[in-house]
Amino acid sequence: KLRFIDVGCGTGILLRDVYLTLKGQYDLELYGVDVNKRFLKHINRALPFIKTIHGDISIINIKNKFNIITCLDVLEHILSDLEVINKLYNSLEKGGFLLLTVPAFPSLYSYHDRILGHYRRYTKKSLLKLFIKTNLSHF
């Protein structure tokens, strides 16, 4: 069984593509988390094979363990990024994978970032510090 969760899933395009690519090869359990109820309603109508969770990842409780967690361009929107990294780490199955993308180059932080709700941009060093604090230092 492959349990996959996309944190900040939007309208579910990544999860749809995972389903189309891997169906028949794995027993798939797909989850999407997002704060936008309209996006999740769209997923529930168009992609009923995806289980949706409404809420802010920094607040909601994730009960399952996952083989793959994606968190793509979400962490910069969260005030307490360390808490979220801890939560994601604790939600990984042993040997699981966390795929994380964030905006880089703090020197480029601008009005545009603030409008988008970003708290920060990252460097490789700042991400590694987060990983070390959460036992993800083997990355």
Side-chain angles (χ1 to χ4, degrees):
K1 180 168 272 202
L2 178 64
R3 265 194 207 99
F4 187 112
I5 188 168
D6 185 17
V7 175
C9 65
T11 58
I13 292 170
L14 173 64
L15 291 165
R16 180 206 62 199
D17 291 349
V18 167
Y19 175 79
L20 292 173
T21 303
L22 299 178
K23 71 177 180 178
Q25 298 177 47
Y26 294 94
D27 180 11
L28 292 172
E29 229 177 272
L30 302 174
Y31 293 80
V33 176
D34 208 284
V35 295
N36 189 314
K37 284 184 180 180
R38 280 192 353 229
F39 290 165
L40 297 178
K41 283 181 184 177
H42 166 76
I43 292 171
N44 292 332
R45 270 192 320 271
L47 308 166
F49 49 85
I50 297 171
K51 297 171 184 161
T52 57
I53 303 167
H54 176 254
D56 182 330
I57 190 62
S58 59
I59 298 169
I60 63 172
N61 186 17
I62 298 176
K63 296 175 183 154
N64 293 336
K65 296 274 188 179
F66 296 91
N67 309 99
I68 300 172
I69 299 174
T70 54
C71 186
L72 309 177
D73 294 324
V74 172
L75 202 58
E76 66 274 9
H77 295 274
I78 298 169
L79 188 58
S80 181
D81 54 356
L82 179 59
E83 285 180 30
V84 169
I85 291 288
N86 267 318
K87 183 180 286 193
L88 297 176
Y89 174 72
N90 290 325
S91 298
L92 276 175
E93 286 278 358
K94 186 177 180 178
F97 294 92
L98 169 63
L99 178 60
L100 180 72
T101 60
V102 293
F105 305 111
S107 62
L108 295 179
Y109 188 87
S110 69
Y111 177 71
H112 183 73
D113 287 285
R114 287 190 295 280
I115 287 175
L116 293 174
H118 295 181
Y119 288 100
R120 71 196 73 73
R121 286 174 168 256
Y122 293 85
T123 63
K124 182 177 179 181
K125 186 176 182 177
S126 66
L127 272 179
L128 286 173
K129 280 183 183 180
L130 282 176
F131 293 161
I132 288 167
K133 290 178 183 177
T134 58
N135 294 322
L136 284 167
S137 59
H138 59 279
F139 283 97

